PDB file of all heavy atoms in Angstrom:
ATOM      1  N   ALA A   9     -40.179-113.507 -43.738  1.00 94.00           N
ATOM      2  CA  ALA A   9     -41.459-114.036 -44.214  1.00 94.00           C
ATOM      3  C   ALA A   9     -42.554-113.507 -43.357  1.00 94.00           C
ATOM      4  O   ALA A   9     -43.668-113.230 -43.865  1.00 94.00           O
ATOM      5  CB  ALA A   9     -41.451-115.553 -44.207  1.00 94.00           C
ATOM      6  N   ARG A  22     -50.800-102.558 -52.180  1.00 92.00           N
ATOM      7  CA  ARG A  22     -49.490-102.147 -52.833  1.00 92.00           C
ATOM      8  C   ARG A  22     -48.777-103.315 -53.469  1.00 92.00           C
ATOM      9  O   ARG A  22     -47.795-103.120 -54.142  1.00 92.00           O
ATOM     10  CB  ARG A  22     -48.577-101.594 -51.740  1.00 92.00           C
ATOM     11  CG  ARG A  22     -49.122-100.381 -51.049  1.00 92.00           C
ATOM     12  CD  ARG A  22     -48.807 -99.178 -51.797  1.00 92.00           C
ATOM     13  NE  ARG A  22     -49.223 -98.014 -51.024  1.00 92.00           N
ATOM     14  CZ  ARG A  22     -49.145 -96.784 -51.484  1.00 92.00           C
ATOM     15  NH1 ARG A  22     -48.707 -96.581 -52.649  1.00 92.00           N
ATOM     16  NH2 ARG A  22     -49.561 -95.823 -50.711  1.00 92.00           N
ATOM     17  N   PHE A  23     -49.259-104.540 -53.216  1.00 93.00           N
ATOM     18  CA  PHE A  23     -48.548-105.736 -53.696  1.00 93.00           C
ATOM     19  C   PHE A  23     -49.458-106.637 -54.492  1.00 93.00           C
ATOM     20  O   PHE A  23     -50.597-106.854 -54.105  1.00 93.00           O
ATOM     21  CB  PHE A  23     -47.965-106.527 -52.506  1.00 93.00           C
ATOM     22  CG  PHE A  23     -46.881-105.766 -51.802  1.00 93.00           C
ATOM     23  CD1 PHE A  23     -47.179-104.952 -50.726  1.00 93.00           C
ATOM     24  CD2 PHE A  23     -45.565-105.835 -52.206  1.00 93.00           C
ATOM     25  CE1 PHE A  23     -46.186-104.230 -50.068  1.00 93.00           C
ATOM     26  CE2 PHE A  23     -44.595-105.138 -51.560  1.00 93.00           C
ATOM     27  CZ  PHE A  23     -44.898-104.310 -50.467  1.00 93.00           C
ATOM     28  N   ALA A  37     -54.898-111.833 -39.146  1.00 79.00           N
ATOM     29  CA  ALA A  37     -55.172-111.818 -40.609  1.00 79.00           C
ATOM     30  C   ALA A  37     -56.637-111.767 -40.880  1.00 79.00           C
ATOM     31  O   ALA A  37     -57.369-112.794 -40.806  1.00 79.00           O
ATOM     32  CB  ALA A  37     -54.548-113.062 -41.239  1.00 79.00           C
ATOM     33  N   GLY A  62     -45.092-131.427 -36.200  1.00 86.00           N
ATOM     34  CA  GLY A  62     -45.096-132.789 -35.699  1.00 86.00           C
ATOM     35  C   GLY A  62     -43.808-133.571 -35.953  1.00 86.00           C
ATOM     36  O   GLY A  62     -43.740-134.757 -35.658  1.00 86.00           O
ATOM     37  N   GLY A  63     -42.791-132.944 -36.490  1.00 82.00           N
ATOM     38  CA  GLY A  63     -41.533-133.633 -36.622  1.00 82.00           C
ATOM     39  C   GLY A  63     -40.855-133.434 -37.970  1.00 82.00           C
ATOM     40  O   GLY A  63     -41.461-132.887 -38.892  1.00 82.00           O
ATOM     41  N   ILE A  83     -51.284-123.413 -40.781  1.00 92.00           N
ATOM     42  CA  ILE A  83     -50.608-122.700 -41.903  1.00 92.00           C
ATOM     43  C   ILE A  83     -51.583-122.405 -43.036  1.00 92.00           C
ATOM     44  O   ILE A  83     -51.805-121.279 -43.424  1.00 92.00           O
ATOM     45  CB  ILE A  83     -49.372-123.507 -42.385  1.00 92.00           C
ATOM     46  CG1 ILE A  83     -48.302-123.502 -41.301  1.00 92.00           C
ATOM     47  CG2 ILE A  83     -48.855-122.859 -43.711  1.00 92.00           C
ATOM     48  CD1 ILE A  83     -47.057-124.321 -41.636  1.00 92.00           C
ATOM     49  N   HIS A 126     -50.306-120.941 -52.933  1.00 97.00           N
ATOM     50  CA  HIS A 126     -49.548-122.182 -53.216  1.00 97.00           C
ATOM     51  C   HIS A 126     -48.726-122.490 -51.937  1.00 97.00           C
ATOM     52  O   HIS A 126     -47.923-121.601 -51.486  1.00 97.00           O
ATOM     53  CB  HIS A 126     -48.598-122.038 -54.399  1.00 97.00           C
ATOM     54  CG  HIS A 126     -49.328-121.723 -55.652  1.00 97.00           C
ATOM     55  ND1 HIS A 126     -50.024-122.631 -56.394  1.00 97.00           N
ATOM     56  CD2 HIS A 126     -49.448-120.546 -56.310  1.00 97.00           C
ATOM     57  CE1 HIS A 126     -50.549-122.079 -57.452  1.00 97.00           C
ATOM     58  NE2 HIS A 126     -50.241-120.782 -57.440  1.00 97.00           N
ATOM     59  N   HIS A 154     -43.646-117.193 -61.189  1.00 91.00           N
ATOM     60  CA  HIS A 154     -45.036-116.985 -60.690  1.00 91.00           C
ATOM     61  C   HIS A 154     -45.407-115.522 -60.647  1.00 91.00           C
ATOM     62  O   HIS A 154     -46.459-115.080 -61.153  1.00 91.00           O
ATOM     63  CB  HIS A 154     -45.166-117.602 -59.277  1.00 91.00           C
ATOM     64  CG  HIS A 154     -46.473-117.386 -58.668  1.00 91.00           C
ATOM     65  ND1 HIS A 154     -47.654-117.938 -59.103  1.00 91.00           N
ATOM     66  CD2 HIS A 154     -46.840-116.570 -57.630  1.00 91.00           C
ATOM     67  CE1 HIS A 154     -48.685-117.508 -58.323  1.00 91.00           C
ATOM     68  NE2 HIS A 154     -48.181-116.667 -57.440  1.00 91.00           N
TER      69      HIS A 154
END
Side-chain angles (χ1 to χ4, degrees):
R22 302 273 187 186
F23 294 91
I83 292 176
H126 301 283
H154 175 70

